[in-house]
Amino acid sequence: MTHSGKTYVLTGVSSGVGAAVAADLAARGARVIGIDRVEPKAAVAGFYRCDLTDPAQIDATVAAISGPIDGLVNIAGVPGSLPVETVVKVNYLAVRRMTEALLPRLSDFGAVVNVASTAGANWRARADLVRSLIAVEGWEAGLKHFLGFGFSSVQAYDVSKEAVILYSMLVSSRERHRGVRVNTVSPGAVQTPILATFYDTMGADLLTRLRTQAGGRDARPEEMAGPIAFLLSRDAQWVNGIDLIADGGAEVSLTLEGLACPAKTLAF
Ligand code: NAI
């Protein structure tokens, strides 16, 4: 997987998964341009402060980024403890706006990787609803349509991630003719600052069960970097429009409830 000389735009670079992915891609030789509302602690090649709840700031940021771009990784996200509007804007509408703006600008054989979540794994069960969400174009119309369902913030988190998965599939064919791909990575629980909130909003019972199935711990942020680096690379040339679940096998406990044995405690 060569990333040498590549330029990648990453949102959410100042914490957790985003910081780990930025460090990993830089170590692989890439130039990382970060976007976040707070300054990153580690150095990146370029940084734009941007509040992703504000479409005008997103547009200004995208316009300010010049030169060839080989990949876009939308990582920024907020948990279901925040107001529904914030959850929808950051987790879905901003991902969509960034993708719409940068997808046509990506170099040939470039890639978009949008970070969803295993919390969005249920999209097949309400595909009609999620399809109706992604059918609505534009920030204001999309927001109005989403809010019209009256979801709680916790529900909105799950649905926002379902929408990211389906939206990414929807646009995966747009620039396919020149080798540009769009995929999602869905992490299970990851040891980052928002994880404690997930234990509150999603329930400690469920997350403990998932953690047990995965071998007794949640993922380290850097364990999300490999799957993302793979999807950005030419090694993934024939991988397009998919959701790559990176949860250490935790979801098996939901799919094969009562049948699957949890992993032994991890030795790594
Ligand atoms: P984090 O809280 O450590 O990092 C989130 C980053 O997004 C921060 O740098 C924050 O400043 C940025 N951000 C939040 N709101 C923003 C806004 N309005 N404008 C600009 N930047 C903003 O969280 P973590 O865990 O690194 O999350 C990364 C992604 O992974 C999110 O999309 C999250 O939903 C997803 N995820 C995380 C899981 C976990 O257990 N930590 C599990 C599954 C998915």
Side-chain angles (χ1 to χ4, degrees):
M1 289 196 286
T2 176
H3 296 274
S4 183
K6 303 288 184 189
T7 298
Y8 299 132
V9 174
L10 269 61
T11 72
V13 282
S14 300
S15 178
V17 174
V21 173
D24 175 79
L25 291 172
R28 293 174 195 262
R31 195 172 149 259
V32 172
I33 299 175
I35 296 173
D36 207 296
R37 67 179 165 176
V38 296
E39 200 84 27
K41 288 185 198 90
V44 281
F47 176 71
Y48 295 90
R49 188 187 294 272
C50 172
D51 183 347
L52 293 166
T53 62
D54 179 357
Q57 287 191 39
I58 296 173
D59 294 348
T61 301
V62 163
I65 299 172
S66 59
I69 303 164
D70 302 292
L72 165 67
V73 192
N74 283 300
I75 305 175
V78 292
S81 53
L82 295 187
V84 177
E85 275 205 40
T86 310
V87 174
V88 180
K89 286 175 180 173
V90 178
N91 291 6
Y92 169 55
L93 293 173
V95 171
R96 184 168 179 148
R97 202 168 186 98
M98 289 291 302
T99 306
E100 295 288 330
L102 289 182
L103 182 58
R105 283 179 51 189
L106 292 183
S107 318
D108 291 355
F109 299 101
V112 176
V113 181
N114 291 326
V115 172
S117 168
T118 49
N122 214 21
W123 63 265
R124 283 186 179 82
R126 48 181 165 205
D128 286 348
L129 186 157
V130 188
R131 283 166 66 112
S132 87
L133 287 174
I134 64 168
V136 178
E137 292 180 17
W139 186 278
E140 288 305 331
L143 180 62
K144 191 170 167 221
H145 186 65
F146 200 113
L147 295 178
F149 286 101
F151 295 121
S152 67
S153 290
V154 174
Q155 291 169 325
Y157 181 83
D158 293 358
V159 179
S160 70
K161 296 300 188 178
E162 293 169 15
V164 166
I165 293 169
L166 253 69
Y167 166 74
S168 302
M169 289 180 188
L170 177 72
V171 294
S172 64
S173 54
R174 211 176 264 180
E175 300 290 327
R176 175 69 183 149
H177 54 285
R178 49 187 196 91
V180 177
R181 298 163 296 102
V182 185
N183 294 292
T184 50
V185 167
S186 280
V190 189
Q191 301 166 28
T192 71
I194 56 173
L195 185 56
T197 317
F198 288 148
Y199 271 81
D200 288 342
T201 56
M202 295 176 185
D205 285 353
L206 172 66
L207 287 180
T208 303
R209 206 168 105 215
L210 293 168
R211 190 176 62 205
T212 304
Q213 183 69 33
R217 70 164 169 86
D218 297 315
R220 301 181 188 114
E222 55 273 22
E223 287 169 322
M224 296 303 118
I228 290 173
F230 166 66
L231 288 175
L232 285 171
S233 76
R234 280 293 293 274
D235 288 2
Q237 180 166 306
W238 208 251
V239 182
N240 191 31
I242 64 121
D243 179 46
L244 175 56
I245 293 176
D247 73 341
E251 287 275 316
V252 169
S253 67
L254 303 181
T255 314
L256 297 179
E257 196 171 0
L259 206 58
C261 294
K264 291 179 189 157
T265 304
L266 299 183
F268 58 94

